[in-house]
């Protein structure tokens, strides 16, 4: 038989028992739809986690205060600031691969503009902060070096703060009060979105580091140039691990920590955290797809069952074909093509159903989904393989029928 004739014959056999064929395909349709939907939802979740974590900035490490001991009492991590401006400068100057070292202090504050007010987070930062976080200004400008050096009372607003204080009005050159200190607005940050920890990253304001220490966040920081933490950005991901080792040695030397003494700082690799979270989301996606793939096996068993019934029903037809010269491999090919056609049509219907289900979940639950071409090709290919695998035994059984015995069957 030619392939086209075999496919036409398979379609005729399927249409002759349309309802039975549809019920047979149902397992494949549900299986493929489940795989497509689960992979789409898993991929969307992985991309969301990835983008949220990487919104902090690429190739980042963060240095935070560690445990501090005073009078024999261990106060715990972050109980007192052990980091200074000079530490950040030393890291920027002496550690290979570092492109930015951004010291900062942070706190909470109520911001007042005219008759509006808004509670938000305030950061005192230097110029390296914006490059480390890869965060641009949408309107206006960032601080200039002299403003940072003098600790001028100028301020940059996040999108959420600007919207709640000024609505649709232009906030540039307006005056806002933070703890009764008047700050002039010089810029509005570009939107950053939600962080991996569920925080609105746009609900924030920025002031020069020294202004934040002296005027807003607290005088304790201003006594010795202390800072709350330091963001360190590296040129390449490969520079991070050796860079962390170099920073550890440098800070131990600067803080006069010797021998077995405990570090009074902590360094975390944010890129490693991002990779771990992405790998976890990927594992979850594959697990969901594997669970959904069980439905494909159930559908395959249904195809085998209906093809065995078809062989029994069409025994005389098979005997007649063999009697007039059809070879066993022609009979085998015919039934294999029927099984594969059933599963492929089911796979195509399943793709549409799965993509629709993924879109519906994304719209109703606000959960991201991403239907990829690879997932579609994998689902179609797997459904065709299911048809071949589970259709082979019925096809082989049909091919081995004795034509004389087959023609005697009622």
């Amino acid at each position: 038989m030619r392939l086209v004739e075999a496919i036409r014959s398979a379609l005729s056999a399927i249409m002759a028992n349309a309802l039975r064929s549809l019920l047979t395909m149902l397992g494949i349709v549900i299986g493929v739809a489940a795989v497509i939907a689960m992979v789409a939802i898993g991929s969307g979740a992985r991309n969301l986690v990835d983008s949220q974590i990487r919104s902090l900035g690429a190739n980042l490490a963060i240095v935070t205060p560690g445990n501090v001991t005073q009078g024999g009492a261990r106060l715990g991590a972050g109980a007192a600031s052990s980091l200074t401006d000079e530490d950040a400068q030393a890291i920027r100057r002496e550690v290979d691969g570092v492109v930015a070292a951004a010291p900062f202090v942070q706190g909470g504050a109520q911001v007042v503009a005219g008759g509006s007010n808004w509670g938000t987070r305030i950061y005192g930062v230097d110029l390296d902060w914006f490059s480390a976080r890869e965060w641009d200004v949408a309107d206006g400008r960032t601080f200039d070096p002299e403003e940072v050096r003098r600790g001028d009372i100028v301020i940059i607003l996040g999108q959420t703060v600007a919207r709640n204080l000024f609505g649709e009005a232009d906030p540039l050159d307006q005056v806002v009060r933070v703890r009764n200190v008047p700050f002039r607005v010089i810029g509005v940050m570009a939107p950053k979105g939600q962080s991996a920890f569920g925080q609105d990253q746009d609900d924030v304001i920025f002031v020069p580091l020294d202004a934040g220490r002296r005027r807003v966040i607290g005088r304790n920081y201003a006594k010795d140039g202390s800072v709350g933490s330091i963001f360190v950005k590296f040129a390449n991901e490969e520079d991070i691990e050796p860079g962390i080792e170099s920073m550890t040695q440098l800070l131990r030397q600067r803080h006069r920590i010797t021998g077995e003494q405990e570090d009074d700082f902590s360094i975390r690799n944010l890129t490693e955290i991002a990779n771990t979270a992405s790998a976890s989301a990927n594992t979850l996606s594959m697990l969901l797809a594997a669970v959904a793939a069980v439905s494909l096996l159930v559908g395959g068993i249904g195809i085998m069952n209906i093809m065995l019934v078809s062989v029994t029903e069409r025994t005389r037809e098979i005997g007649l074909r063999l009697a007039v010269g059809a070879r066993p491999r022609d009979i085998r090919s015919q039934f294999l093509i029927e099984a594969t056609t059933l599963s492929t049509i089911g796979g195509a219907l399943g793709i549409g159903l799965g993509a629709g289900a993924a879109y519906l979940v994304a719209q109703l639950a606000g959960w991201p989904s991403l239907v990829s071409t690879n997932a579609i090709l994998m689902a179609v290919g797997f459904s065709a393989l299911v048809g071949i695998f589970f259709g082979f035994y019925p096809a082989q059984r049909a091919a081995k029928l004795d034509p004389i015995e087959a023609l005697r069957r009622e």
Side-chain angles (χ1 to χ4, degrees):
M1 279 189 206
R2 290 181 301 174
L3 181 61
V4 174
E5 292 176 354
I7 293 175
R8 187 182 296 117
S9 175
L11 290 173
S12 298
I14 291 171
M15 293 305 297
N17 298 279
L19 181 60
R20 187 174 72 180
S21 299
L22 181 62
L23 293 174
T24 303
M25 288 188 292
L26 199 57
I28 296 294
V29 171
I30 293 173
V32 170
V35 169
I36 291 292
M38 292 301 100
V39 170
I41 292 170
S43 298
R46 184 178 64 248
N47 286 354
L48 177 64
V49 170
D50 219 22
S51 63
Q52 286 178 341
I53 292 179
R54 295 190 186 280
S55 68
L56 291 172
N59 304 330
L60 271 185
I62 184 170
V63 187
T64 56
N67 176 60
V68 177
T69 302
Q70 290 182 359
R74 302 179 77 230
L75 303 180
S81 179
S82 56
L83 303 172
T84 66
D85 292 344
E86 288 76 16
D87 290 332
Q89 293 169 11
I91 289 171
R92 190 184 301 118
R93 185 174 58 248
E94 299 183 30
V95 177
D96 292 337
V98 171
V99 295
F104 65 94
V105 294
Q106 61 177 314
Q110 198 75 13
V111 189
V112 180
S116 302
N117 69 89
W118 185 254
T120 187
R121 291 170 293 125
I122 180 169
Y123 282 81
V125 302
D126 72 358
L127 294 177
D128 270 3
W129 168 275
F130 303 103
S131 58
R133 291 290 311 277
E134 299 179 1
W135 201 347
D136 297 324
V137 171
D139 296 306
R141 60 177 179 83
T142 58
F143 309 123
D144 64 39
E146 284 301 306
E147 288 171 338
V148 173
R149 185 183 63 81
R150 294 191 303 258
D152 286 357
I153 48 175
V154 290
I155 194 168
I156 300 173
L157 307 180
Q159 288 278 342
T160 300
V161 178
R163 183 171 59 252
N164 282 280
L165 290 180
F166 297 99
E168 298 300 321
D170 185 4
L172 294 182
D173 291 324
Q174 300 295 319
V175 174
V176 300
R177 302 185 72 86
V178 184
R179 295 187 179 172
N180 292 323
V181 179
F183 284 84
R184 181 171 58 89
V185 179
I186 63 169
V188 177
M189 299 300 297
K192 196 74 165 175
Q194 189 176 0
S195 74
F197 311 106
Q199 291 181 323
D200 180 5
Q201 296 185 88
D202 299 315
D203 190 3
V204 65
I205 56 177
F206 299 101
V207 299
L209 179 58
D210 218 31
R213 284 190 295 210
R214 289 187 293 105
R215 297 175 180 270
V216 181
I217 295 173
R219 296 184 180 277
N220 290 337
Y221 282 116
K223 288 179 182 178
D224 54 1
S226 296
V227 296
S229 302
I230 303 171
F231 272 126
V232 182
K233 181 178 178 63
F234 291 86
N236 302 294
E237 188 173 339
E238 296 76 20
D239 297 327
I240 298 177
E241 287 301 327
I244 288 177
E245 293 180 11
S246 299
M247 281 193 292
T248 300
Q249 296 173 2
L250 175 64
L251 291 177
R252 283 181 64 88
Q253 180 185 359
R254 288 184 53 80
H255 296 182
R256 296 181 174 86
I257 301 172
T258 59
E260 298 299 319
Q261 284 183 289
E262 185 179 6
D263 292 343
D264 63 354
F265 59 89
S266 174
I267 305 176
R268 286 180 293 167
N269 182 351
L270 298 184
T271 301
E272 190 175 81
I273 295 173
N275 292 340
T276 301
S278 181
S280 299
N282 190 51
T283 301
L284 176 62
S285 175
M286 297 305 295
L287 179 62
L288 291 173
V291 172
V294 173
S295 300
L296 282 174
L297 297 180
V298 175
I301 294 171
I303 286 179
M304 177 185 282
N305 179 55
I306 207 64
M307 292 306 296
L308 286 171
V309 171
S310 181
V311 169
T312 302
E313 289 178 344
R314 296 160 62 188
T315 300
R316 286 178 61 82
E317 176 193 331
I318 295 168
L320 184 60
R321 286 177 182 271
L322 290 170
V324 297
R327 293 165 295 182
R329 70 180 184 185
D330 295 329
I331 303 299
R332 186 186 306 113
S333 297
Q334 178 188 352
F335 280 89
L336 268 179
I337 288 171
E338 283 186 27
T340 305
T341 303
L342 268 175
S343 61
T344 304
I345 293 174
L349 294 174
I351 289 171
L353 182 62
Y359 177 79
L360 191 62
V361 169
Q363 293 300 310
L364 295 180
W367 191 260
S369 64
L370 178 64
V371 180
S372 66
T373 305
N374 288 340
I376 292 175
L377 293 177
M378 180 184 71
V380 171
F382 195 68
S383 63
L385 288 175
V386 165
I388 294 171
F389 181 79
F390 286 98
F392 183 78
Y393 174 70
Q396 185 69 7
R397 184 173 174 177
K400 287 185 176 181
L401 285 176
D402 179 56
I404 297 176
E405 292 296 325
L407 288 169
R408 287 177 179 174
R409 292 275 183 93
E410 293 296 333

